[in-house]
Amino acid sequence: MALALPLDPPRSWSPVLPVAAVIGLVALPAGPGGEGGAGPADALSALVVLYCGVRLLRQRRRPLSRTAALVFGLPVVGAALAAAGAVSPGAGITGLGRYLQIFVLVPAAVLLLIRDRRDFRLLAWSFVGLAGWQGAVGVHQYVTATGASYQGRPIRAVGTFGPQDVMGMATVVSFGIVCAVGLALGRTAAADRRLAGERGRGRGRVVAALCAATLLLPLALSFSRGAWIATAVTCSAQLVLAGLRRALAVGAVVAALGVVLVGGFGVGTAMLQERVGSITQVTDAPDQSVTDRYTMWAAAADMWRERPLTGVGLKGFPEYRDSHASVALSAGSDTDGAGSGFVKQPLLSPHNMYLLILSEQGLIGLLALAGCWLALLVRALRGVLRTHRGRPGLDCALVASGLLIWQLTDFLYADIGGPSTVLTAVCLGLTAWWSLAPEPRSPEPASARPAPSRHERVLPR
């Protein structure tokens, strides 16, 4: 007997398949000694934007609603002003293109290509699949001591991203956990199945829960404190949004699982405990990586004070870093292992997205981008509340809200850069679809409603 996958059967070829292919291309190994520039996934994301534009022209559809156009237009204003003040025209054009790709064009394309919740779930399961692959590679690296160097030992799980992008695997696995948790928590309401006319998919919830639990191991072996914090905050928020009683029950299960993994099997006990303990020691006895981060944060804040409204321009942080940083900043970060030799990687960003925007785009850029993210978050949370009042799609609501919460939390410790950055754009697109796509005007099931004309833009959830 064939094992059925926990996905809804497609009615036709889904237009989000190219987006799923973008997610899949992130699994390709990084080039030896690469520094995480544009890769195949970034190139395909540009083709996805082009494909979306051609599809809109053929269907004669209005591209975006007024609200969506306003939300996605905000980042364009700040980035354009900062590009005009860049240190060179080339840096301005390159930086503007990257910001438009990640925060405007690809998210808008994902929003327009998703037709309904089935397409949304297809992309969510694609994230889980990618996380499973990267996590398996990471666990193998830890077990066989072929990972990136950590405290002099080649045991840090980095997946296929290499030591130059130690946050890549942690980011991918975190996205997979967030999607799996949302899928596991969101398909219990009978109203969801009744209103949408969908069959119960208990096996899908079980598979998603098992995937989320399994992915905790490679996340731990990534030794990424920022990813740990962001994932813990996000999963806690998802549990609360799904219901307090369920939050308490699942919290107890997770705590028991942690005791079994760490206490019973001793999974990386000493190093993991030391790494977890270092989170609370960043002010008392910080290591060099924490010292570098604080120094770059201070340098970014100093750049902003110098040019508070527009910043120093896109791609300007590396140029102004040395003139604003203290002598506590090291020459670079040492990377080694995972198939690459020893490399002294330069510190070219403050590892804080908010401070990076503030230093390079000033208050105008930060308010524009933060306004976009805040609008998406508020509307996504409002959508969660609607699902508790009988609307279908709680799983999509939890995934969309969780991905944005994770990203906004992680931006406190990281910024854009590397092959996994294109996944940030896809995540924003998923959140944008749940937050900004028009809802059906009629409460009856889709089978009872007349089919919309080609001039109508109705994206049922």
Side-chain angles (χ1 to χ4, degrees), residues 34-423:
E35 297 183 0
D42 294 287
L44 184 57
S45 72
L47 295 179
V48 168
V49 173
L50 180 62
Y51 163 68
C52 179
V54 172
R55 191 167 181 268
L56 290 175
L57 291 175
R58 291 186 61 186
Q59 296 180 349
R60 299 181 183 179
R61 285 170 51 190
R62 186 177 63 187
L64 294 170
S65 66
R66 290 194 183 98
T67 303
L70 176 62
V71 170
F72 284 123
L74 287 175
V76 178
V77 175
L81 288 175
V87 292
S88 67
I93 294 174
T94 302
L96 180 61
R98 187 62 160 168
Y99 272 90
L100 293 182
Q101 174 204 7
I102 301 303
F103 299 116
V104 180
L105 297 177
V106 175
V110 174
L111 161 66
L112 293 167
L113 291 175
I114 296 177
R115 298 173 300 181
D116 50 31
R117 292 189 302 277
R118 280 177 281 196
D119 287 346
F120 186 102
R121 289 165 186 150
L122 173 62
L123 294 181
W125 279 109
S126 299
F127 273 109
V128 177
L130 174 64
W133 162 249
Q134 291 290 347
V137 174
V139 172
H140 179 267
Q141 290 171 334
Y142 177 84
V143 172
T144 60
T146 55
S149 178
Y150 178 76
Q151 294 186 353
R153 298 174 59 188
I155 59 171
R156 187 168 189 173
V158 292
T160 63
F161 294 97
Q164 284 77 32
D165 186 14
V166 293
M167 282 291 296
M169 191 209 75
T171 299
V172 168
V173 171
S174 298
F175 287 156
I177 292 175
V178 171
C179 290
V181 168
L183 292 168
L185 293 175
R187 289 201 179 184
T188 59
D192 194 359
R193 297 190 295 270
R194 183 174 66 254
L195 289 175
E198 297 176 354
R199 295 175 295 175
R201 296 272 181 154
R203 65 180 180 274
R205 293 180 54 238
V206 173
V207 172
L210 290 175
C211 289
T214 304
L215 290 173
L216 291 176
L217 178 59
L219 179 63
L221 298 181
S222 70
F223 296 100
S224 174
R225 293 170 292 199
W228 291 350
I229 295 172
T231 304
V233 169
T234 302
C235 292
S236 299
Q238 287 177 302
L239 288 171
V240 172
L241 291 173
L244 290 178
R245 257 188 301 182
R246 193 182 306 173
L248 294 175
V250 176
V253 172
V254 172
L257 182 63
V259 171
V260 171
L261 285 176
V262 178
F265 295 100
V267 179
T269 305
M271 286 190 173
L272 284 177
Q273 287 180 349
E274 180 183 352
R275 191 66 167 172
V276 172
S278 68
I279 295 175
T280 60
Q281 298 172 356
V282 292
T283 56
D284 298 332
D287 55 30
Q288 185 58 48
S289 65
V290 175
T291 300
D292 287 340
R293 185 163 305 198
Y294 283 170
T295 303
M296 290 189 293
W297 287 3
D302 197 40
M303 294 178 200
W304 166 68
R305 284 191 290 267
E306 185 177 293
R307 300 183 187 179
L309 287 181
T310 59
V312 297
L314 294 183
K315 299 286 187 178
F317 182 87
E319 300 293 331
Y320 291 86
R321 183 199 62 186
D322 292 340
S323 61
H324 291 81
S326 70
V327 294
L329 184 66
S330 65
S333 176
D334 298 339
T335 62
D336 195 5
S340 299
F342 177 82
V343 175
K344 177 74 75 171
Q345 191 172 7
L347 304 173
L348 303 178
S349 71
H351 295 289
N352 180 302
M353 191 64 196
Y354 304 106
L355 288 177
L356 176 63
I357 298 170
L358 193 64
S359 63
E360 293 188 345
Q361 302 184 37
L363 277 175
I364 296 176
L366 181 61
L367 291 176
L369 265 172
C372 169
W373 299 335
L374 181 60
L376 291 177
L377 181 60
V378 170
R379 293 180 67 93
L381 295 178
R382 286 175 57 190
V384 175
L385 295 178
R386 286 194 295 268
T387 61
H388 287 294
R389 296 170 187 158
R391 297 289 181 88
L394 179 59
D395 56 341
C396 299
L398 294 176
V399 171
S401 303
L403 289 174
L404 184 57
I405 291 172
W406 189 93
Q407 197 64 76
L408 296 181
T409 306
D410 185 68
F411 275 164
L412 294 170
Y413 312 96
D415 46 49
I416 58 174
S420 63
T421 300
V422 69
L423 297 181

